[in-house]
Amino acid sequence: MIEATWELILIIIGIALIFDFTNGFHDSANSISTVVSTKVLTPRKAVVFAAFFNFIAAFGFGVAVASTISKIIHLDIVETAVVPYIILAALIGAISWNLITWFFGLPTSSSHALIGGLAGAGISAAGLAAIKWSTVEIVVAFMILSPIIGLACGFAFMAAVLWLTRKSNKQSAEKNFRNLQLVSAAANCFSHGTNDAQKTIGIILPLLFAIGYYGASVDPNNLPVPFWVIILAYTAIALGTLAGGWRIVKTMGYNIIKMRPVHGFAANAASASTIIGASIAGIPVSTTHVICSSIMGVGTTMGSSSVKWGMARTIMWAWILTIPISAVIGFAAFVLIRIAIGY
């Protein structure tokens, strides 16, 4: 077997940062679709706005999500020399799914693609024992719960806004919500950074462990996070957001509900509160699922017919397929890598 060297580790870290870039590129719609569709910001200003708040999220809410992701592969069981190749195969699975769904304009979860890729590659390398299933169970549970929470929060926020502004002048309220939407959008962009950038950090940590970066005494279940890794990951996701995935912006901003600033404010506020709560708890949720379901929740306050359920069903099918398809690609990628390295 070809031993993992520092040069190989640096190449895989580079690929991890490319994944982080595609995460930002793919998920820029999460942060900016509402402000673009309501014309509060132009597309170019919106991506700069989102990228800035994605980056400064590096300095808030710790690294609990990164710690969770770093524990998906059982480092106590898997042969250390194989870990970099598992990470490489997982990244191939996640990046492949990101690009496929970006091409079709589907707002799927980069996080679940990465987790699926890790599961598939780990099983391919060392069987079912390679995966810490208790961590995967948490992710899968919140794959189901987080969209429900987002939907409920979106409905509740919008219902509260409608009740509080029931006697307000419509024109002046609309103007106020254009300004408030910027605040809620900033919180949403910040929340996206707090959760999604940490997932890349979480897969870089096992790479550093495999090459002996931490020394022999470190606990593989509690790997410390170097500051340089945090800065690299947040820079990559911010640059990806800056590039902007316009196909998905159209899907989320126009093809779920017809949105005004008040709807954008409520959807962003609901989404941000849900994601920040998950980040504090160290739960790697899908920011895409949460913002999509928040938009749907907002739409249901105008009657179920206001939500384009055909598009919603297409999005939900893509959500369901993300982990299994990414796992299959990750599994196949490791098989090819195994042949190449003679393992």
Side-chain angles (χ1 to χ4, degrees), residues 309-324:
W309 294 109
M311 175 55 69
R313 276 192 295 273
T314 301
I315 291 170
M316 286 177 190
W317 270 113
W319 291 357
I320 291 166
L321 293 171
T322 293
I323 288 181

Side-chain angles (χ1 to χ4, degrees), residues 5 41 57 67 85 123 135 164 173 187 260 266 275 286 313 331:
T5 62
L41 289 176
S67 177
Y85 300 108
I123 292 168
T135 303
L164 290 170
R260 300 197 335 264
I275 297 166
S286 167
R313 276 192 295 273
F331 187 99

Side-chain angles (χ1 to χ4, degrees), residues 34-35 38-41 49 53 171-187 260-266 268-269:
T34 55
V35 287
T38 57
K39 297 182 172 60
V40 169
L41 289 176
F49 177 89
F53 284 102
Q171 201 169 23
S172 108
E174 193 81 355
K175 182 180 177 183
N176 288 334
F177 278 113
R178 288 180 69 84
N179 296 326
L180 285 170
Q181 194 184 350
L182 283 175
V183 177
S184 65
R260 300 197 335 264
V262 63
H263 305 129
F265 164 75
N268 281 329

Side-chain angles (χ1 to χ4, degrees), residues 4-23:
T5 62
W6 263 108
E7 291 77 13
L8 178 61
I9 294 298
L10 289 174
I11 288 169
I12 299 174
I13 288 174
I15 295 170
L17 294 174
I18 290 170
F19 164 76
D20 207 16
F21 180 91
T22 67
N23 188 337

Side-chain angles (χ1 to χ4, degrees), residues 35-270:
V35 287
V36 171
S37 62
T38 57
K39 297 182 172 60
V40 169
L41 289 176
T42 64
R44 181 47 52 195
K45 287 180 180 177
V47 290
V48 172
F49 177 89
F52 172 75
F53 284 102
N54 269 196
F55 179 75
I56 65 167
F59 307 102
F61 298 109
V63 289
V65 173
S67 177
T68 300
I69 293 292
S70 71
K71 295 171 185 172
I72 289 176
I73 298 298
H74 236 313
L75 296 177
D76 292 329
I77 293 174
V78 176
E79 189 180 340
T80 302
V82 182
V83 170
Y85 300 108
I86 294 175
I87 301 296
L88 177 59
L91 287 167
I92 291 169
I95 292 171
S96 299
W97 184 244
N98 269 0
L99 294 176
I100 290 166
T101 51
W102 165 80
F103 181 80
F104 289 105
L106 293 172
T108 56
S109 170
S110 298
S111 314
H112 292 164
L114 180 60
I115 289 160
L118 278 170
I123 292 168
S124 182
L128 294 173
I131 307 303
K132 194 171 286 188
W133 293 106
S134 58
T135 303
V136 175
E137 283 166 10
I138 292 170
V139 173
V140 172
F142 277 87
M143 182 176 78
I144 298 165
L145 290 174
S146 61
I148 295 171
I149 295 168
L151 186 78
C153 286
F155 181 90
F157 268 82
M158 191 64 210
V161 166
L162 290 173
W163 187 82
L164 290 170
T165 60
R166 65 193 185 283
K167 296 179 181 177
S168 302
N169 176 276
K170 186 177 178 181
Q171 201 169 23
S172 108
E174 193 81 355
K175 182 180 177 183
N176 288 334
F177 278 113
R178 288 180 69 84
N179 296 326
L180 285 170
Q181 194 184 350
L182 283 175
V183 177
S184 65
N188 199 39
C189 298
F190 185 88
S191 72
H192 177 254
T194 63
N195 209 277
D196 274 27
Q198 288 195 47
K199 290 149 191 171
T200 297
I201 295 171
I203 58 170
I204 290 175
L205 299 185
L207 289 172
L208 298 179
F209 173 79
I211 203 69
Y213 178 87
Y214 294 108
S217 60
V218 72
D219 177 2
N221 294 308
N222 291 287
L223 298 174
V225 182
F227 183 70
W228 62 267
V229 174
I230 296 173
I231 294 302
L232 279 178
Y234 277 90
T235 300
I237 202 168
L239 290 174
T241 301
L242 199 58
W246 302 114
R247 291 171 186 259
I248 301 171
V249 170
K250 183 180 177 184
T251 300
M252 292 180 67
Y254 299 96
N255 292 349
I256 298 177
I257 65 170
K258 187 176 179 181
M259 207 176 298
R260 300 197 335 264
V262 63
H263 305 129
F265 164 75
N268 281 329

